């Protein structure tokens, strides 16, 4: 079986793994205070163009989201997000377990707009009974979204502006960031994110690391004591250097972007091929996640050889499946897949 | 100004207050273990027809909801409720502050159906990624709902059945219970609630008490150690007898139902009168909350004399207002209101 | 049986109750935004000599403590307190249920010192592994303490100074405040508390109210959005005026202090009497709580007529009991008690 | 510098790392449901001699402790542990952040006794005000303890018996388990732990893994839905196989015990050598952590070459330092250290 159901079925990019192997028997201090983490931090700060950012390494996405949101909010405050947002749907209520309501809003192909945020803010603050409601204080967006779509630079600037006007934090979940930044058609760069968000993270788990997410914090209030929260939430790795080493490798020789480009190129090849064969897509994505509408019998046939994610039933005899490429996808496997369709 | 915006603008029913005054200088043990609470418990058990129920007294509704829900759920479990449910909208995220997600579903005039609950359950348990989602474990309903509507006995039985089939708790918020039980047209009795729910509460704050809600717990798992949770959540009143005394008074001489009947009768009188005058209602309620569509200028005129709750804008020049009657509403004030319309 | 086990066995002071009765059928808006609460707030601000303080009314002590502490702390921060502190011992872990560790320190007769606070602070901030430990951020003291003792003005000034130097909040639990302020021998006034603490509360439940605590917040950071937290934690009373009315009555004609003086005078009479009879005290208290060492057989005899709190076993055949006087204690009952000893 | 300050300064045992490298580009499903985790689970079950145990893999110790404790307790329940217990001292209040109080008791060289547990239980359940206190429900012990000491089999059986008698869960933190099991002088085996505890974990981070802890759950109530909690608390690794692979390697060819024996042998060599040189130990440990009393000037001299953990000041001119050996400690380095002393 060839697996296309997600972008974390393999281990790490060889260059990343090599770093771990090469340094394996070295000794270093723990908890992210080692020289490798320091170097990785320096490299990340350079890559994002912001010397004043705080850079932390955590193990996984759910942990990262809950720690950042905990660091930002007081007990009566909540996080605005799209109804498809990962924190709302697929993290077993981890934000609520930290005491905060996720304030879900209808998304447009996984995205929310500055206008929606403004409306939520206005509607809260003009309500005489607002003290009886959760106060919106943070905007959570994913880029790429859970549906593979991307914000434009203008959309992000609009969100930034509305957050500034309303005193809200803007937090961007970049679990698949490379696949967004490398997409042919995006105008959003890493520098933009560092300027436009209060915090964001650069996903490693889904882009070439064994595991690991790199949080960049720009807002002073969220920076304060962040490491205490990492420890409390179980997100401070004892052998922290493992994270530093991996991010160091990924931000060497343009590797992070290269991995993104590889996955996106194959995704576009798949898309083009399927469109030519007359297939329809549930959503128009230019990143590594492709949502294809497939007739049930055809799907059954394909699933003799390939594994996909079933997203949702499209109609009585069609299913929407998710096909993910990744840094690790072999071109020959993608060609086999195209041929099988 | 005559206030119609809610059902807690006055103090307590004179008979309730009298009980407090008469016993004021008596001495008793605290925390609900006094003879008055005992008597009130006995009376409540009799009224609901269930000797095995646990009966507790708490101060207010939000406190009651969060304590009951905390008692029922493990950390990864959530409460299904209507999008209009009080716990979802108007309790400042108190359930989330206890760690649990509120799983909101579209309501039909404030109500949810057994079918919806079943679908939510099925959709959770058939999802391969369910461990990444909050597990539905409790169904929260209000009766009357926040929109003044009532469940029928059949609807409650259906909810009971689906909860039994799915291993869910059924919890009924009866903040305005008297106004539901006394409504002309309901087929639901207090006995039914005691049979059909795992826990429910009999509202006092909105029905004649100075303050106080009476929780009835039928399910053994929710009974266990409930008083510890009351204390932890700040809901165990030191002079607990104040609650016992009030509920004793309210369940004497049919007072609780009488207060309900009074409010409902006046609400129906208002409804009939307004219908005759050609007014339209946003929702068809047979309880003490009436949602009337009023033209803006007329509203402005009425608000010289009366206070209402603005529920929502209906259209460019109409507002939906809520008019509440209560145990304390004077017939002459209602007549003044009708005349002013 | 005559009850001396605590100071909340009766209802409310007649003047307080009268206020409730007189206004019972008036209409007012809810949630503490009514004219009575406004007046009570004005009166409290006057009494404490601080116009800029925020004044809120809550129902009970546990609720008040958890709400104030929640308002002050971020998730990794904790509250320093004496090992005998109410939040550490007798609130069913309510502070922990809000996510915060109580950092208990040995007390000196229920009190902690500026020196101890400073040491806890220093020991945290000089520890290289401090991010692995809960950060002390708030100092919780009770006045009178759970053992009836009082801080001196100098001790409070020292605590204030150390809190200023260390960036800690100082929160004073005044559940029995009147009995502290009125004690013969204290040099601490209400004005002092308003100057020296970041927040404190004026207890009503144990001093003449049916229920109710009045929180005074001086620190701007703790003021922000406090009412959201009150609502979330279940501490915002619907008929908020009941609290305003009671505190209005208690701060009229010096009633609050008068109630304190009454209880303290009787406590001192008891103390003097028992000392003369050769009894020993477990602790030297000048407030309404007296801790007497009584031989078991004598205790059994006394308990035919009186109820006490058993504090702890003193030795094989002696018990330490707590005897409380209150605003409501009748002189004749105290005399009966003295005679029986 | 040669590091002896803890047992996680290196990466992974070569055999463990090899497993990761060899399988790196294979594809597998995520979240611990892959064949490697399955095999590792089977191997663990065999090693502990219990086919009915649930076996889960988490990333780190704090995460593991908080997840297990969350799975076991209701909101009003707490965890008994020694004052030196890791959850009480060095996890930034992670248990409290999940809502539970840690009920610390004085330890005897890091251990607590069945008698203490029984006393805590009795003292809770015989207290008339117990509902105002946190209910002890789980006993947390470390083995080896934070001071390097070990429970005897008899002590563990006594704890088991008292837990059975009192309805308490017994949870054993085995972050350094290999160093305990392999100690010359212990009579406790892995089989014993599987029989005597309700849950325990087999530490990987400190014993040869890159990272990873293996939780064994024996009690049915704690098993239920444990994976939901892992996900919610951020402890479910996407590429779960990384954990399975490592534990598979560690439980192959007796590697886990072999690593334990290596570290313990070197620790005993160090101990013997230092005793011969006239050094004193703060505590008598037979495991890999040795607590030596060193004169300040000598320490300064040693620290030119070696890194230790400063545990506490012993007296005016002596420090207690911790020296850790591990699976990775080179014999030559230990000899250098001994020579330097």
């Amino acid at each position: 079986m060839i697996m296309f159901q997600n972008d974390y079925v393999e281990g790490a990019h060889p260059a990343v793994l090599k770093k771990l192997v090469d340094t394996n028997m070295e000794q270093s201090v723990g908890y992210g205070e080692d020289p490798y983490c320091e170097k990785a931090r320096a490299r990340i700060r350079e890559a994002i163009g912001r010397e004043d950012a705080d850079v932390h390494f955590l193990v996984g996405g759910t942990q990262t989201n809950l720690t950042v949101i905990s660091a930002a909010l007081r007990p009566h405050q909540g996080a605005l997000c799209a109804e498809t947002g990962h924190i709302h749907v697929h993290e077993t209520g981890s934000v609520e377990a930290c005491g905060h309501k996720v304030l879900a809003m209808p998304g447009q192909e996984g995205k929310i707009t500055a206008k929606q945020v403004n409306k939520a803010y206005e509607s809260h603050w003009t309500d005489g009974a607002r003290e009886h409601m959760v106060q919106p204080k943070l905007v959570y967006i994913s880029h790429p979204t859970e549906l593979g779509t991307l914000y434009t630079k203008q959309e992000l600037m609009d969100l930034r502006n509305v957050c500034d006007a309303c005193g809200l934090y803007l937090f961007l979940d970049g679990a698949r960031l490379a696949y967004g930044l490398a997409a042919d058609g995006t105008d959003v760069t890493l520098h933009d994110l560092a300027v436009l968000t209060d915090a964001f993270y650069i996903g490693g788990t889904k882009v070439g690391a064994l595991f690991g997410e790199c949080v960049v914090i720009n807002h002073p209030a969220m920076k304060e004591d962040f490491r205490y929260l990492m420890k409390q939430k179980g997100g401070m790795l004892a052998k922290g250097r493992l994270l530093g080493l991996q991010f160091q490798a990924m931000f060497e020789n343009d590797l992070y972007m290269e991995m993104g480009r590889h996955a996106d190129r194959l995704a576009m090849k798949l898309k083009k091929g399927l469109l030519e064969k007359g297939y329809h897509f549930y959503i128009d994505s230019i990143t590594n996640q492709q949502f294809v509408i497939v007739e049930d019998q055809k799907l059954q046939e394909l699933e003799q050889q390939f594994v996909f994610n079933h997203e949702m039933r499209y109609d009585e005899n069609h299913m929407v499946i998710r096909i993910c490429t990744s840094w690790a996808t072999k071109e020959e496997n993608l060609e086999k897949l195209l041929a099988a369709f």
Side-chain angles (χ1 to χ4, degrees), chain A:
Chain A
M1 299 292 279
I2 305 174
M3 294 184 173
F4 282 104
Q5 76 265 44
N6 65 46
D7 29 24
Y8 42 94
V9 286
E10 288 90 1
H13 187 281
V16 171
L17 192 61
K18 186 172 184 305
K19 212 73 163 196
L20 294 178
V21 172
D22 288 353
T23 58
N24 185 53
M25 292 307 291
E26 291 182 15
Q27 294 192 319
S28 69
V29 298
Y31 305 114
E33 296 185 314
D34 61 280
Y36 296 114
C37 282
E38 271 317 309
K39 269 181 227 162
R41 278 188 198 102
R43 214 161 265 179
I44 298 283
R45 284 197 192 98
E46 198 187 336
I48 65 170
R50 222 178 144 152
E51 279 310 305
D52 66 330
D54 275 8
V55 177
H56 301 280
F57 303 107
L58 287 101
V59 172
T62 296
Q63 203 176 80
T64 303
N65 285 333
L66 74 87
T67 307
V68 170
I69 292 172
S70 280
L73 301 184
R74 292 183 65 209
H76 60 295
Q77 297 174 330
L80 291 166
C81 85
E83 277 175 359
T84 47
H86 210 255
I87 55 168
H88 185 54
V89 181
H90 276 129
E91 303 189 352
T92 322
S94 65
V95 172
E96 288 84 0
C98 293
H100 304 289
K101 196 176 187 78
V102 173
L103 302 161
M105 307 187 293
Q108 291 77 43
E109 307 202 323
K111 300 194 287 179
I112 51 174
T113 66
K115 209 172 148 183
Q116 279 181 295
V117 169
N118 192 57
K119 200 180 149 194
Y121 176 84
E122 287 298 334
S123 124
H124 179 82
W125 286 96
T126 57
D127 192 321
R130 65 178 165 277
E131 292 162 341
H132 299 232
M133 290 182 271
V134 172
Q135 186 184 94
K137 185 66 186 174
L138 178 145
V139 176
Y140 166 95
I141 56 175
S142 318
H143 182 85
T145 67
E146 295 74 12
L147 298 176
T149 53
L150 291 173
Y151 286 87
T152 64
K153 188 168 173 184
Q154 186 60 53
E155 287 169 340
L156 291 178
M157 290 193 305
D158 291 348
L159 282 167
R160 175 71 271 159
N161 288 338
V162 78
C163 285
D164 282 343
C166 303
L168 305 174
Y169 296 112
L170 182 58
F171 170 46
L172 183 146
D173 175 334
R176 295 187 167 93
L177 194 56
Y179 307 132
L181 295 173
D184 196 2
T186 185
D187 62 349
V188 174
T189 67
L190 207 41
H191 277 66
D192 295 332
L193 299 184
V195 170
L196 296 173
T197 69
D198 292 301
F200 71 101
Y201 77 88
I202 302 171
T205 298
K206 291 169 180 165
V207 198
L210 277 182
F211 58 88
E213 321 297 322
C214 169
V215 180
V216 177
I217 310 185
N218 303 312
H219 195 294
M222 293 170 75
K223 287 179 183 177
E224 197 176 342
D225 291 342
F226 191 77
R227 281 171 53 83
Y228 283 87
L229 284 159
M230 284 173 61
K231 177 64 187 169
Q232 181 184 71
K233 306 306 183 191
M236 190 184 272
L237 193 66
K239 300 182 186 171
R241 74 183 196 198
L242 303 179
L243 294 162
L245 283 160
Q246 293 184 83
F247 274 93
Q248 209 182 312
M250 289 196 287
F251 278 82
E252 216 158 50
N253 306 324
D254 203 31
L255 177 59
Y256 193 68
M257 290 301 288
E258 190 185 304
M259 291 191 288
R261 281 189 295 265
H262 173 79
D264 286 346
R265 184 177 61 76
L266 291 187
M268 290 308 96
K269 184 169 176 175
L270 174 76
K271 187 178 182 178
K272 187 161 168 284
L274 291 184
L275 284 172
E276 282 168 9
K277 288 174 194 278
Y279 280 91
H280 293 280
F281 285 75
Y282 177 65
I283 212 159
D284 185 28
S285 155
I286 59 172
T287 66
N288 76 315
Q289 297 180 84
Q290 295 296 320
F291 298 84
V292 194
I293 301 165
V294 190
E295 197 272 319
D296 287 344
Q297 203 168 335
K298 182 66 191 173
L299 181 54
Q300 220 179 331
E301 185 194 312
L302 288 164
E303 289 182 336
Q304 303 297 317
Q305 271 187 280
F306 305 98
V307 187
F308 311 114
N309 215 41
H310 291 206
E311 281 299 306
M312 56 184 296
R313 182 139 287 286
Y314 184 73
D315 64 22
E316 218 178 312
N317 39 29
H318 288 82
M319 183 68 84
V320 180
I321 61 168
R322 185 179 72 166
I323 303 176
C324 285
T325 59
S326 82
W327 61 273
T329 307
K330 291 181 193 154
E331 188 125 17
E332 61 183 272
N333 282 343
L334 191 98
E335 279 162 6
K336 270 189 210 159
L337 175 61
L338 250 180
F341 257 102

